[in-house]
């Protein structure tokens, strides 16, 4: 078992060398995912659309959160959340599902969770583009906001990878965790201001809510889509720090458990 | 280079695989294993007390152009040794060093997907086996041709017979142009004609200077291909010598 900065750097180098293979795996899974279904790639829109409909009804109408243009507000939080949560859940199954592959070709195991993030990322970018068209048409987006969007997406990719890599290794080695993960992700969904604004959190608890880096991530998207501004400098700082820290810790955890995970396959 | 002598595995050819006091242990079967405690995890001794040795202190050198047969009963460690040579597993102790491009033929058609076309599957499979996407795209034509499936290029894999799928997988593997080829008991699949062709192809690779390590349970294949053989028993290297000698000892007088 290796540990320390050296292991994280080796991990980064190995991953960069194998990015073309990750690309191939992403293509494979995107091409294969909806093969044989009538709706085809259209399915990538159906899940977000249905969730949007039900959350919109419950939190936009039943419990009125008092947010103007709640639809735009909800979607700009829900879409990034779906990329994050579906990537983490799929990644935690990815090593076991591809165990046959990993024990038969010399493929670094992190390529599989990363390919999951990429495949989910394709759906995310597609849905986000549609949201962007709607927001631009409504006149809610500024040039600065538009320009900051790719950077936000890239920073989110880092955060998602930093969470999905350890989730993949941990759930493979300690199977019990896989049972817990789905519930934990759902809890995080309700604890992060996604369907409600931060202002609805009581003052006494608000500091706690702002300690959640995902709040800042969602906040960055909201700046672009609902305020029509680039994220504030403080938001950028939190996002960069979160991405770097989670990637570093995630890579270390992954490397520490990697060989154990391989032996479980 | 000139050192590629006419005699396969000649004593002065460069060593391309060097294995030094290699050991590998595995966790006990999940059913009988107590989940590791958090304390053990933090102390970095994850499950250290409940492991079984699969390979013990193996030393091995393979020179360029050699074709080494791994013999031994099921569970003797052949596949684990091949996976360590491929870099799939990391050793618990000892070292594995290889030179040049290593290709694995541990299974035919790794990563094939039923819904993708024959062509797409070749590209995915080749990339997984270590070919750069551009190289894979350049070779896809000859891979399909060797498999005899040039006219099925755009058909989904599920519409191909299982024999055709195996042919496709083999064709990708032998088009990788490796320096070292690791083969695990896949030479005895397919129909008679295909077996014959695949053996010929492996022999041609060997004669062209590719170093091959393969596991097999079949005496005729070992005698046909191997220049040297080792016998594994319970994870230890029991015997090493010419293919004929080791095979005779292992398969018995009849072989």
């Amino acid at each position: 078992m290796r540990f320390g900065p050296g292991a994280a750097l080796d991990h980064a180098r190995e991953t960069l060398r194998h990015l073309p293979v990750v690309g191939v795996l992403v293509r494979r899974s995107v091409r294969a995912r909806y093969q044989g279904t009538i709706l085809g790639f259209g399915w990538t829109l159906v899940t977000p659309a249905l969730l949007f409909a039900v959350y919109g009804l419950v939190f936009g109408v039943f419990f009125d959160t008092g947010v103007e243009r709640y639809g735009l507000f909800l979607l700009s939080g829900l879409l990034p959340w779906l990329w994050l949560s579906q990537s983490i859940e799929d990644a935690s199954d990815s090593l076991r599902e591809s165990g046959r592959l990993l024990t038969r070709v010399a493929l670094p195991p992190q390529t599989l969770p990363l390919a999951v993030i990429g495949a989910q990322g394709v759906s995310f970018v597609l849905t986000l583009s549609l949201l962007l068209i709607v927001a631009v048409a409504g006149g809610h987006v500024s040039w600065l906001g538009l320009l900051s969007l790719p950077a936000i997406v890239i920073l989110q990719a880092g955060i998602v990878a930093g969470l999905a890599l350890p989730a993949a290794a941990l759930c493979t080695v300690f199977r019990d965790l896989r049972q817990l993960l789905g519930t934990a992700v759902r809890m995080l969904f309700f604890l992060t201001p996604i369907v409600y604004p931060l202002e609805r959190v009581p003052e006494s608890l608000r500091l706690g809510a702002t300690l959640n880096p995902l709040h800042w991530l969602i906040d960055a998207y909201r700046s672009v889509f609902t305020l029509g501004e680039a994220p504030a400098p403080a938001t950028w700082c939190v996002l960069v720090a979160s991405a770097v820290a989670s990637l570093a810790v995630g890579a270390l955890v992954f490397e520490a458990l990697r060989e154990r995970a391989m032996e479980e396959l | 280079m000139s050192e590629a002598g006419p005699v396969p595995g000649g004593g002065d050819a460069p060593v391309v695989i060097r294995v030094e006091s290699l050991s590998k242990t595995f966790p006990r079967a999940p059913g009988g294993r107590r989940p590791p405690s958090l304390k053990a995890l933090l102390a970095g001794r994850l499950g250290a007390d409940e492991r079984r040795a699969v390979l013990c202190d193996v030393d091995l050198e393979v020179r360029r152009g050699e074709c080494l047969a791994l013999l031994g009963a099921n569970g003797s460690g052949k596949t684990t040794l091949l996976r360590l040579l491929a870099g799939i597993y990391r050793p618990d102790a000892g070292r594995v060093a290889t030179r040049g491009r290593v290709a694995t033929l541990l299974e035919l058609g790794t990563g094939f997907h039923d819904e993708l076309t024959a062509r797409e599957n070749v590209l995915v499979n080749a990339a997984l086996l270590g070919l750069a996407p551009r190289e894979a795209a350049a070779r896809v034509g000859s891979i399909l041709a060797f498999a005899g499936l040039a006219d099925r290029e755009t058909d989904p894999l599920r519409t191909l017979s299982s024999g055709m799928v195996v042919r496709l997988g083999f064709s990708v593997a032998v088009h990788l142009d490796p320096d070292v080829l690791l083969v695990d008991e896949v030479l005895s699949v397919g129909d008679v004609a295909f077996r014959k062709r695949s053996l010929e192809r492996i022999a041609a690779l060997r004669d062209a200077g590719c170093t091959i390590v393969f596991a097999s349970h079949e005496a005729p294949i070992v005698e046909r291909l191997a220049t040297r053989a080792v016998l594994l028993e319970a994870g230890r290297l029991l015997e090493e010598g010419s293919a004929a000698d080791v095979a005779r000892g292992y398969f018995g007088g009849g072989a």
Side-chain angles (χ1 to χ4, degrees):
Chain A
M1 196 185 307
R2 301 176 311 155
F3 215 76
L9 280 181
D10 285 350
H11 177 91
R13 262 194 292 271
E14 187 186 42
T15 305
L16 287 178
R17 210 169 52 241
H18 286 86
L19 277 185
V21 183
V22 174
V24 169
L25 288 171
V26 169
R27 266 182 59 90
R28 178 181 82 143
S29 98
V30 171
R31 295 267 298 114
R33 186 169 3 163
Y34 304 113
Q35 286 274 342
T37 63
I38 294 169
L39 215 49
F41 203 75
W43 275 110
T44 206
L45 302 178
V46 173
T47 306
L50 292 176
L51 288 174
F52 171 68
V54 72
Y55 288 132
L57 188 66
V58 173
F59 296 99
V61 180
F62 298 170
F63 303 86
D64 186 2
T65 49
V67 176
E68 270 183 70
R69 295 196 299 272
Y70 184 72
L72 208 54
F73 172 89
L74 176 59
L75 274 177
S76 58
L78 187 61
L79 297 181
W81 169 260
L82 286 177
W83 182 24
L84 181 123
S85 61
Q86 290 178 340
S87 293
I88 292 176
E89 293 208 40
D90 287 1
S92 56
D93 296 322
S94 64
L95 297 183
R96 247 179 228 293
E97 276 176 2
S98 297
R100 226 186 141 73
L101 184 65
L102 286 173
T103 52
R104 279 159 183 83
V105 288
L107 194 64
Q110 67 267 29
T111 51
L112 286 154
L114 292 178
V116 161
I117 296 170
Q120 293 290 353
V122 170
S123 304
F124 170 64
V125 168
L126 183 79
T127 51
L128 196 74
S129 309
L130 293 180
L131 177 65
L132 189 63
I133 291 170
V134 172
V136 168
H140 304 303
V141 181
S142 69
W143 278 109
L144 266 180
L146 195 64
L147 288 174
S148 50
L149 204 51
I152 302 173
V153 172
I154 289 168
L155 287 171
Q156 181 177 357
I159 294 172
V160 173
L163 295 172
L165 283 172
L170 284 163
C171 290
T172 308
V173 176
F174 309 99
R175 293 191 198 200
D176 307 57
L177 289 180
R178 183 65 189 90
Q179 305 302 318
L180 193 65
L181 186 82
T183 310
V185 166
R186 229 134 290 143
M187 288 164 68
L188 194 59
F189 172 75
F190 285 108
L191 289 175
T192 306
I194 296 169
V195 294
Y196 55 87
L198 181 68
E199 290 67 41
R200 292 302 293 252
V201 178
E203 296 250 13
S204 53
L205 297 173
R206 205 167 290 167
L207 180 66
T210 56
L211 290 178
N212 175 3
L214 299 182
H215 154 65
W216 295 88
L217 177 66
I218 303 294
D219 190 56
Y221 284 105
R222 293 238 160 99
S223 301
V224 174
F225 285 109
T226 66
L227 302 179
E229 299 169 355
T235 307
W236 284 116
C237 292
V238 174
L239 286 190
V240 171
S242 305
V244 171
S246 69
L247 265 181
V249 174
L252 280 177
V253 172
F254 190 87
E255 282 303 314
L257 291 170
R258 170 179 180 157
E259 192 60 15
R260 272 303 313 268
M262 288 296 293
E263 291 165 358
E264 291 286 332
L265 303 176
Chain B
M1 300 286 270
S2 57
E3 65 261 36
V7 184
D12 53 351
V15 173
V16 289
I17 300 174
R18 177 169 280 131
V19 172
E20 286 167 0
S21 23
L22 178 68
S23 296
K24 177 72 189 165
T25 63
F26 274 85
R28 296 236 169 247
R33 184 167 62 91
R34 184 169 47 91
S37 69
L38 198 59
K39 191 178 152 205
L41 173 65
L42 293 174
R45 305 183 291 105
L46 194 54
D49 46 352
E50 295 203 45
R51 298 174 70 89
R52 72 199 148 87
V54 176
L55 283 176
C56 277
D57 203 22
V58 171
D59 287 287
L60 190 65
E61 270 187 6
V62 187
R63 292 179 181 275
R64 186 158 87 200
E66 276 195 292
C67 184
L68 178 74
L70 302 178
L71 306 178
N74 289 329
S76 58
K78 301 187 296 294
T79 297
T80 302
L81 179 55
L82 286 169
R83 288 179 183 171
L84 281 155
L85 292 179
I88 293 170
Y89 292 141
R90 291 173 175 167
D92 284 18
R95 261 170 39 87
V96 174
T98 54
R99 281 173 55 178
R101 175 189 270 178
V102 179
T104 54
L105 193 37
L106 304 185
E107 176 190 57
L108 294 175
T110 301
F112 273 3
H113 196 294
D114 266 355
E115 297 293 340
L116 300 182
T117 67
R119 184 192 168 83
E120 287 168 327
N121 271 301
V122 166
L123 292 174
V124 171
N125 187 230
L128 293 176
L129 289 170
L131 213 56
R134 195 170 303 145
E135 286 179 281
R139 291 181 203 187
V140 66
S142 50
I143 290 171
L144 287 161
F146 181 81
L149 293 169
D151 55 331
R152 306 293 298 271
E153 194 177 340
T154 53
D155 292 359
L157 198 72
R158 65 184 149 76
T159 64
L160 270 54
S161 79
S162 56
M164 290 174 179
V165 173
V166 166
R167 254 157 49 197
L168 199 58
F170 185 84
S171 183
V172 176
V174 296
H175 279 83
L176 297 175
D177 201 11
D179 300 302
V180 176
L181 182 63
L182 307 169
V183 188
D184 191 9
E185 291 182 44
V186 296
L187 298 176
S188 30
V189 295
D191 57 27
V192 178
F194 177 72
R195 287 179 61 158
K196 187 163 170 293
R197 262 178 86 204
S198 60
L199 282 185
E200 277 165 7
R201 182 75 192 198
I202 296 280
L205 282 173
R206 177 198 62 192
D207 296 340
C210 173
T211 308
I212 299 168
V213 180
F214 72 104
S216 180
H217 285 298
E218 295 195 47
I221 294 179
V222 172
E223 285 172 5
R224 165 89 200 278
L225 288 178
T227 57
R228 197 153 67 92
V230 294
L231 176 62
L232 284 167
E233 195 179 286
R236 291 181 184 278
L237 216 146
L238 205 66
E239 201 183 330
E240 183 177 352
S242 77
D245 289 347
V246 180
R248 202 174 307 118
Y250 176 63
F251 293 117

